Amino acid sequence: MAIIERSITSTEVFSVATPSSSLGALKRPVATTGWKSWLFTVDHKKLGIMYSAAALFFFIVGGLEAVLIRLQLAAPNGKILNADLYNQMFTMHATTMVFLFVMPMAAGLANYFIPLQIGARDVAFPRINAFSFWAFLFGGLFLNLSWFLGGAADGGWFMYAPNSGPVFSPSHGIDFWVLGLQITGIASLAGAVNLITTVLNMRAPGMKLMRMPIFTWMQLVVQFLLLFAVPVITVALFLLSFQRNFGATFFDVSAGADPLLWQHLFWIFGHPEVYILILPSFGVISEVLPVFSRKPLFGYPFVVFSGAAIGFVGWGVWAHHMFASGLGPVSVAVFSISTMAIAVPTGVKIVNWTMTLWGGKLEFTAAMKFAVGLIVLFTIGGLSGVTHSVAPSDTQQTDTYYIVAHFHYVLFGGAVFGLFSGFYYWWPKVFGKLLNEKLGTWNFWLMVIGMNMTFGPMHILGLQGQPRRMYQWTEARAGEGLFNFGFWNMFASIGSIVLSIGILLFLINIVITARNGKVAPLDPWDARSLEWMTSNPPKEHNFDSIPTISHLDEFFHRKYQEDASGQMVKVKTAEQVMKELEDNADAHIHMPSPSYWPIFLAAGLPVISFGVIYSIPIAIIGGVIVLFGCYGWSIEPSTAPDDDFDPPATTKDVVHVG
Amino acid sequence: MRHQNTTDHGTTAVNRLAGMRRRVVGSIAGLAGTMFLAGCATNAPQDTFQPKGPNAKIIDDLQKPVFAVAGIIGVFVTVVVIIAVFKFRDKGQPIPHQSHGNPALEITLTIIPALILTVVGVFTFRTVFDLAKTSDTEMIINVTGQQWWWEYDYPVQNEYGITQPIITSGQLVIPAGTKVLLRQTSRDVIHSYWIPALNGKRDAVPGRVHLNRIEADKPGIYAGQCTEFCGLSHANMRMEAVALSKADFAKWVANQLKPYASPAENTLAKEGETVFMNQCIRCHQVNGMKRADGTPVIAAPDENMVSGAAPNLSHLMSRNTFAGATFDLLNKSCREDVWGAESESFGAKYLGGVSEDCLNQTDLRGWLRNAPAMKPMYANPALLTSSGGKYRGMPNLGLTESDIEKLVAYLLTLK
Amino acid sequence: MSNAGYVRIAAILAAITALEVATYYVDLGALFLPSLLIMMAVKFYIVVSFFMHLRYESKMFSWVFYTGLFLAIVVYGIFLATFHFFS
Amino acid sequence: MTTDSHTETDGAAHTSTGLSNNKLGMWLFLGSECLLFGGLISTYMLYRGRVGEGPRPSQVFDIPFTSVSSFVLLMSSLTMVLAVSAAHKGDDRNTYLWTTVTAILGATFVGGQVYEFTAFYNEGMGFTTSLFSSSFYVLTGFHGVHVTVGVIMLMSIVGIMKRSKVPGSKSETVEMIGLYWHFVDVVWIIIFTLIYLIPA
Ligand code: HEA
Ligand code: HEA
Ligand code: CUA
Ligand SMILES: [Cu+2]
């Protein structure tokens, strides 16, 4: 971004120098404040914030879609949505929540915190990082554009062929879906390459792999999963778009195609994907639980290896989504057993978290509440998952609300709760202000109650035989007595309102905190890991001097030491630890420079996609934008040379980043 | 949508509401408990814990213990977490010892779940292969899904009196106590066949034939629902399996094979036949129907429908429901009479079919007036051109009221 | 590796390719498929190890690349097997 | 803290593993590409026998022709490795020479593919003729696009090197292109065997 020069003369002020001269095809952007500083930034922290803000926006979109679904289903023969709109609604609800909320939110946290947690000043490829963000954002907007251009995709989030083919889904909705996901896929892939390289290569001295914070570890596993899973759905999406846009017949049964091809490709991606969604949250709570238990994570190596094991075994279970598809008994039996195997490493995590609590000194901040909530709610969802893995019984439950209950417990009770835990935990780090704890408590309880009210009854509904994806349900099959559809559907719908109010409180909390929140102390939680060893919010260059790591939970060990009786006592305050770093500050730090090219290049992708749907010349224009972007990108040095700064950085001992 | 289920609590086998035991399950806490209860005491027609035939029973025997185990583990974890939360909350105790774990404990707590799952796995394995068994099949029916109804095609099986193929839709009629093999496929997109009381789901995939074995212990009507998302009217794609005693089944077969009888001249029904020949015969086959010149009338649904088929109406009035079992053909009181019948008299009542007095005039007329208004058929009619102008589902034919009058009279003759 | 070394490796690769093409014309019976697959794997390994220097580079590169390769082979192999492709 | 001497080419110096970011990133990308091509190859394997009314693979494939173009691509790997080797020695002249030769060989291969596609097309095998034809064109087309991108990169690097004054300064970039190029070659080794030599 700039060259950060330590003020030699006096106190605290660091001066920032920005590059000035013309480089590459365009003059470099230089703004350090205002909207331009965001648009062209390559700073991982700014990008992290933008990722999260965009994801939050999509969460509200996906949530409103969910609320519409619930309103429609509250009573029999709902009239709020017609069949067509309803089908679009649940397809886009799931797509938005999975691809545009949880994934980018996790990417936002990864972006912001991985470099801080491993003691780096930025990611390995800052410009690619910016490109990832913009590609995700443009892809997400492109997907939602379909609402205004003749209707959104309506084939369900796994978009089974041949229903997703041009004959059965003639509107453009699915075209937008396919191409939009293709764009966000590119973003994920680029992000994965970037973050893996960052974690492996940019660690501070002494930060061995087995000293890395668990959040970083889980993100590393996630990025590997993305790296290998995204290309699989890329293939599937290509085949589908060639069928829809260029007349190929990959899923056209009359030409001899086998519709199960799509199912396999989708779920080979799709199952690793669900671990992509959950592992970041596992990472978050593995940070939060120890901090508020005042105790290290129980069995750190087990948590690390079980995470890796989940990631690995997750590749061998995809066909459990296809138990009713007619695979044949051998495949069904094999996938059934392999799916059960995954419960073992996941169980390890549950055990470790519980044992972390055990014997601790628990402080129930909002972050901690969400973390503990996750343990219980995820377990419920995981156990229903195990009941699905029993293939014969799954043939009764698949495609009913029992499955809907399962995945909302793991996704909402698991992934979303983890993210909320992270919001409360890291908010002071990012914005320097503490979220209101009282509102947080309300937020938490309304969410727990609302979520159980919404998704709990779905177990009943599903076991009573209510299939999913029905725009209306009928009294005729509702049954009576305690377990009738009528009561529990209404109950779930009311629950979703409670849940919405809970989430609304979070949004209100953000506003209140921004207006007049409490300014956060340097180390508000008495935290343990490296990201807290810098100011709130962190400086542009993260650390004044890169710390040398000698422990897991480095920050904690700098603050605490065992006294003679073996009791941990605080020997240093966070301020003192910080001061040590400041005293050794690098004089001149050369940060990666902002660039026009990431956003420019990313903007070409939706143009191409738009052209593929409507007219090839537009696609060619998009192609030219991309080509020009690549050209500009490759001739612009990723980091402006030292002599290009104003004032030029003259000193020899400049520390370079990126 | 109509009530398809009576509300009186009789004690017949047909009435699924009747005589249901409500098993009480002990040791239930929180949600795991609710989940449990749902499986054990109930009265919804598609309940997955009320097997009414051997296949569903095999599944049920496996899933009950699995749900129990899952429930117990769930309760256990929840309780431990709650204890920890209360026991170790910050009461000013000193900072705990910074212990990093206990490998022995870890390994034990890894092995226990692994053992539990091994046991579950063994039983799962066996059950999968038990269910896959088809060698002792006694009867075969071809089942074809399409947007948004099911077609049943009984191949010639002389031992059941099926001397000619029978084609019907909506209600699958089977002899009770007989091992029936469904050979499933689809004409357009993927559907899934599911009668929870008889067996789990099996997808009907175009281009593939999937086997699905069912058997009903007793005569009765068993409700089901298409459970693979198949487009606009997926929610309105239902089905029912009707099990008849073997004797009644033979009667049913005989009726299906009854030759076509054209209505008497100068009746309303006869005029209806003419309208039918003009309008409906494009898609709907009525076996044995002949033109005035004696040439047989053959429907050409493949020229009009994306899926290439429309229900065969030869014996429409022998069924109780229509349009993918979404609407009743019987009016309310007649319906309750059939559906609530005693086990012994059920067969006779079902075989009585739909008489003029019993016909659900409102829905049938509504259907003929404007079918897509009752059951969504295609998202956007303007887009039909992209399927070569072929229909998906039954279109609005713009019939006049007098045409409808005649058609209804005619359809009533199709017993 | 020296340039001459590279040329020698290329010669080996060319020779294997010639053999591969030869199998197309000579009837090897049951050996046909395995011999082709082995030659393919050998060529693959040679290019990756020597031309791409993977043998001489950090283990980490081998890890990431071969993990991808391994997953691809295993996962897609099982995937094809479920279609009874190999039977 | 280390205040290392940093040069444009030397990306590795300040990483925790001592490995270059760029190279690690490239290997990660190639690992990911395995699953991309794996998916396309599997699709082809599944569909290769489904020819409908169209020609069968054995009717269209011209093994001698494809053998020659495969050989050309294989040899381009040799020239590529020579280019990388020259670049590492800071020998710009030979780097130009071998990158250019590699680009020409690659372009020849792509040309051969275009010729092959036209021939197939004339024999009645269009993109949408059958599942076999679609999956064949998608697979080989993807590969062809990869080669084309490689050719463009090779041509650009010559231009970029000529602009930069420091000899050998772009050696890592050349090496990266080399990795990509060899990978594309390796994919063709598989395609050639599985798709062309093993009959459907
Ligand atoms: C965050 C996402 C997430 C996670 C983590 C999981 C986790 C698991 N899932 Fe889930 N799943 C989904 C998201 C997720 N799932 C989604 C979105 C779908 C539906 C897609 C769709 O159809 O739209 C789905 C569907 C789905 C199906 C298909 C159902 C069907 O369509 O018929 C199956 C079948 O086996 C399954 C199984 C499992 C299993 C065994 C786990 C395991 O990983 C769970 C392991 C955890 C535990 C078991 C709890 C803790 C363990 C212990 C306390 C130890 C002791 C336990 C035992 C001894 C049992 N899932
Ligand atoms: C991470 C993933 C995720 C998340 C978070 C959610 C969250 C929710 N989901 Fe869903 N859902 C899926 C993933 C997810 N879902 C998937 C994969 C499917 C399968 C789709 C398919 O079959 O194809 C599905 C399907 C699905 C169905 C089944 C539809 C059907 O089969 O017909 C239902 C029905 O109730 C539902 C409900 C909900 C509800 C009520 C929430 C709630 O938790 C939502 C809560 C959020 C909000 C309420 C919004 C936030 C805030 C406000 C509203 C405040 C007010 C706002 C302003 C003032 C601006 N979801
Ligand atoms: Cu047919 Cu759903
Ligand atoms: Cu899964």
Side-chain angles (χ1 to χ4, degrees), chain A residues 267 270-271 274 317-318 320-321:
Chain A
W267 291 119
H271 191 82
V274 308
V317 304
W318 75 87
H320 65 216
H321 297 274

Side-chain angles (χ1 to χ4, degrees), chain B residues 145-150 189-192 225-231 233-235 237:
Chain B
Q146 49 237 289
Q147 290 176 328
W148 290 275
W149 56 284
W150 294 93
V189 302
I190 302 176
H191 306 269
S192 193
Q225 165 87 40
C226 171
T227 44
E228 191 64 80
F229 180 68
C230 53
S233 248
H234 163 66
M237 182 167 173

Side-chain angles (χ1 to χ4, degrees), chain A residues 437-457:
Chain A
E437 280 288 323
K438 201 159 178 196
L439 264 177
T441 304
W442 279 96
N443 174 199
F444 168 75
W445 284 110
L446 283 174
M447 269 172 78
V448 169
I449 294 168
M451 113 114 221
N452 282 299
M453 280 178 73
T454 311
F455 305 122

Side-chain angles (χ1 to χ4, degrees), chain A residues 59-60 63-64 66-67 69-70 73 86 90-91 93-94 97-98 101-102 156-158 401 404 407-408 411-412 416 454-455 458 468-470 496 499-500 503-504 507:
Chain A
F59 180 46
I60 293 169
L64 292 175
V67 169
I69 291 176
R70 275 323 319 164
L73 295 179
Y86 183 86
F90 70 71
T91 305
H93 159 63
M97 285 298 193
V98 168
F101 165 50
V102 177
W157 85 285
F158 41 79
Y401 266 81
V404 180
F407 64 69
H408 282 97
L411 282 169
F412 201 92
V416 176
T454 311
F455 305 122
M458 291 183 185
R468 61 195 278 204
R469 298 178 163 181
M470 297 214 298
S496 72
L499 184 52
S500 309
I503 296 168
L504 192 60
L507 302 180

Side-chain angles (χ1 to χ4, degrees), chain A residues 59-111:
Chain A
F59 180 46
I60 293 169
V61 173
L64 292 175
E65 284 159 0
V67 169
L68 282 174
I69 291 176
R70 275 323 319 164
L71 289 180
Q72 165 83 358
L73 295 179
N77 307 325
K79 293 276 182 302
I80 293 170
L81 304 169
N82 62 27
D84 187 25
L85 257 179
Y86 183 86
N87 295 346
Q88 298 174 30
M89 211 53 81
F90 70 71
T91 305
M92 291 302 284
H93 159 63
T95 307
T96 306
M97 285 298 193
V98 168
F99 294 98
L100 308 181
F101 165 50
V102 177
M103 281 173 78
M105 186 58 86
L109 296 184
N111 243 295

